[in-house]
Amino acid sequence: MKTCLIVDDSRVIRKVSRHILETLGFAVTEADNGKSALDACDDAMPDVVLLDWNMPVMTGIEFLVHLRQRPGGDAPKVVFCTTENDVAHICEAIAAGADEYVMKPFDHETLQIKLQLVGFA
């Protein structure tokens, strides 16, 4: 089964994302910040990471940089899900190792398309 780690400090976003991902056949785990997400990746590296940008403890960019430096950290497809939509933020995310980028709020169809683009839907 495909696995996805949702990393977002918003419980509502995690709940909505989980529902969408489970209907797409993913086994889902959650983290509310980048630090706990790294711990989750150390326990079991997911196939896909749905990643928020602005979080306490460790931001999405900080998480992504650390993830990509870990053994096996180059494997997960990372989709940033954020309200930051300017070109500078998108370029920063891609440079840090993101595979795709989706704007909040998103719906089932939008997330499914992004997951198809990274080969997981």
Side-chain angles (χ1 to χ4, degrees):
M1 179 176 263
K2 305 171 286 191
T3 58
C4 183
L5 172 61
I6 301 168
V7 188
D8 200 302
D9 58 326
S10 166
R11 187 179 53 79
V12 172
I13 295 294
R14 290 194 313 269
K15 183 176 181 178
V16 170
S17 300
R18 173 184 282 274
H19 175 72
I20 293 170
L21 289 160
E22 287 177 344
T23 64
L24 294 172
F26 282 86
V28 177
T29 54
E30 300 178 15
D32 61 1
N33 66 65
K35 172 70 174 88
S36 57
L38 284 176
D39 293 342
C41 289
D42 288 341
D43 291 341
M45 196 64 74
D47 296 313
V48 178
V49 177
L50 203 58
L51 182 61
D52 186 24
W53 191 291
N54 297 307
M55 296 178 291
V57 183
M58 180 184 287
T59 68
I61 286 288
E62 291 168 332
F63 162 81
L64 184 52
V65 168
H66 286 287
L67 174 69
R68 293 304 194 209
Q69 294 170 351
R70 281 178 151 62
D74 57 337
K77 297 297 183 181
V78 176
V79 178
F80 256 106
C81 296
T82 182
T83 57
E84 306 291 350
N85 66 348
D86 58 274
V87 173
H89 278 95
I90 295 170
C91 289
E92 183 179 358
I94 299 301
D99 297 288
E100 260 304 331
Y101 204 92
V102 65
M103 290 301 304
K104 289 180 185 175
F106 53 86
D107 59 14
H108 185 282
E109 183 181 354
T110 303
L111 187 55
Q112 185 173 8
I113 289 168
K114 293 298 183 175
L115 292 169
Q116 285 172 343
L117 289 172
V118 298
F120 274 98

